[in-house]
Amino acid sequence: MGLSTSVLAIDAGNSKTDVAVVAADGSVVGAARGGGFQPPRVGVEAAVDVLADAVGRAFAQAGVESAAHVSACLANADLPVEERELAAALRARGWSSTASVDVRNDTFAVLRAGLLEDAEPRGVAVVCGAGVNCAGMLPDGRTARFPAIGKISGDWGGGGGLAEEALWFAARAEDGRGEPTALMRTLPAHFGVPSMYALIEALHLERVPVERRHECTPVLFATAADGDPVARALVDRMADEVVAMSTVALRRLDLLDDEVPVLLGGGVLAARHPQLDARIAELLAERAPKAVPRVVSERPVLGAALLGLDAIGAPPEVHARVRAHFAP
């Protein structure tokens, strides 16, 4: 298999982890899926234990115990200090026979996966899943990124943020503090309760589990599609945030005047909501006219694998074989 040039690729999100073992010729010889990666909630070691389960199964399938290089794109690796801490934790597991480990935020996996097959790593990606994040990259290794750890770092939106906003507006509409919105009816109906008061009580007492709050986001988009002004305004604001992050990253990398991709990933953007897509395209045309938006359909673990192959200097045909394996 050529362990001297093999790559262990890890893409770990909040809800799931994908692992792939790539041989020297670009063949994917082992793969596994595991649980979500949430070090802020469970601690670094427990979070890495979740990765270890999937990595162990992928190595077993490949018939190896380690790889030469580990390329890990991880949710919650939002700051360089966190990337260093997580890289040390992964290195301690012995998954790299050469102790070669790169850890990046999972946004970089979407960016690298979404670049065209013959393209150099040059562009910007925005991921809108549970939260929202953005990263840009140049072939010389320079990057542009954001802390993306919530409101304290200036973030707004993502699936979780949109759910909270939808609940906020619906609660105020029902009790009279806010403007009318159909969300005061569509949100309780989705959860099978008669009113926002009943839904607030169910959420507060956890009769509706906390993890189900994300279900508010598709209800918000459906309500917006039916023409509700409050819901539509929230969708437009999400588009504004996506474009704001994109254009700032492009500016930092001196790419505003270049024809480069703006790659869109994560559950909210991958759902292809017409209003959101149209608003993003409209705003990008105004603020970064040469940017080319594209929703990424490729699996992010492909991006982690390609970043690993970049790191070891693998030839183009190896990259192409990996990309073909993960073709959507």
Side-chain angles (χ1 to χ4, degrees):
M1 170 178 160
L3 275 178
S4 62
T5 52
S6 65
V7 169
L8 170 65
I10 303 171
D11 171 66
N14 282 288
S15 60
K16 64 178 173 60
T17 294
D18 280 322
V19 173
V21 182
V22 182
D25 65 356
S27 302
V28 177
V29 292
R33 173 164 286 186
F37 184 71
Q38 300 183 15
R41 187 172 67 84
V42 303
V44 169
E45 288 306 312
V48 175
D49 285 342
V50 175
L51 303 185
D53 173 69
V55 169
R57 286 184 281 118
F59 276 159
Q61 187 180 96
V64 300
E65 295 182 353
S66 64
H69 178 72
V70 176
S71 173
C73 296
L74 308 178
N76 300 297
D78 297 309
L79 304 173
V81 65
E82 292 172 321
E83 290 178 339
R84 292 192 294 270
E85 179 184 17
L86 290 166
L90 268 59
R91 197 173 292 114
R93 298 296 176 116
W95 296 338
S96 167
S97 58
T98 62
S100 176
V101 176
D102 283 339
V103 169
R104 301 172 186 259
N105 182 267
D106 58 341
T107 308
F108 285 98
V110 173
L111 172 56
R112 190 65 183 90
L115 293 170
L116 296 176
E117 187 168 344
D118 59 350
E120 52 189 5
R122 183 170 175 267
V124 167
V126 180
V127 175
C128 191
V132 61
N133 201 353
C134 174
M137 179 185 293
L138 291 175
D140 63 9
R142 283 183 291 157
T143 62
R145 57 188 298 181
F146 299 84
I149 52 178
K151 285 198 171 183
I152 64 169
S153 60
D155 309 323
W156 186 91
L162 287 171
E164 292 295 321
E165 292 287 336
L167 288 165
W168 189 87
F169 277 99
R172 291 173 68 88
E174 181 173 270
D175 67 21
R177 286 177 293 171
E179 60 190 299
T181 172
L183 290 166
M184 63 178 276
R185 296 184 296 276
T186 57
L187 287 172
H190 173 78
F191 290 98
V193 296
S195 66
M196 275 305 300
Y197 184 92
L199 179 56
I200 292 163
E201 180 181 279
L203 289 168
H204 178 65
L205 299 177
E206 297 190 5
R207 292 198 294 267
V208 172
V210 173
E211 57 267 23
R212 289 193 63 193
R213 290 194 185 196
H214 70 88
E215 297 174 22
C216 296
T217 304
V219 176
L220 165 66
F221 278 99
T223 306
D226 287 339
D228 180 74
V230 168
R232 291 186 65 81
L234 288 172
V235 173
D236 280 347
R237 184 173 176 188
M238 188 69 260
D240 294 348
E241 290 293 319
V242 168
V243 174
M245 295 185 100
S246 303
T247 53
V248 168
L250 289 168
R251 186 180 302 113
R252 289 179 182 173
L253 296 175
D254 296 320
L255 293 175
L256 265 181
D257 296 323
D258 294 356
E259 186 172 312
V260 291
V262 172
L263 302 162
L264 307 173
V268 173
L269 294 172
R272 304 302 302 264
H273 301 288
Q275 180 191 345
L276 184 63
D277 286 355
R279 178 70 173 169
I280 290 171
E282 175 190 349
L283 292 175
L284 275 177
E286 294 174 1
R287 302 177 192 176
K290 292 188 177 181
V292 182
R294 184 173 83 83
V295 175
V296 176
S297 57
E298 293 84 356
R299 291 170 58 191
V301 70
L302 166 64
L306 292 173
L307 286 167
L309 294 174
D310 293 342
I312 65 173
E317 60 269 22
V318 173
H319 285 75
R321 189 169 289 116
V322 174
R323 188 176 286 279
H325 176 88
F326 287 108

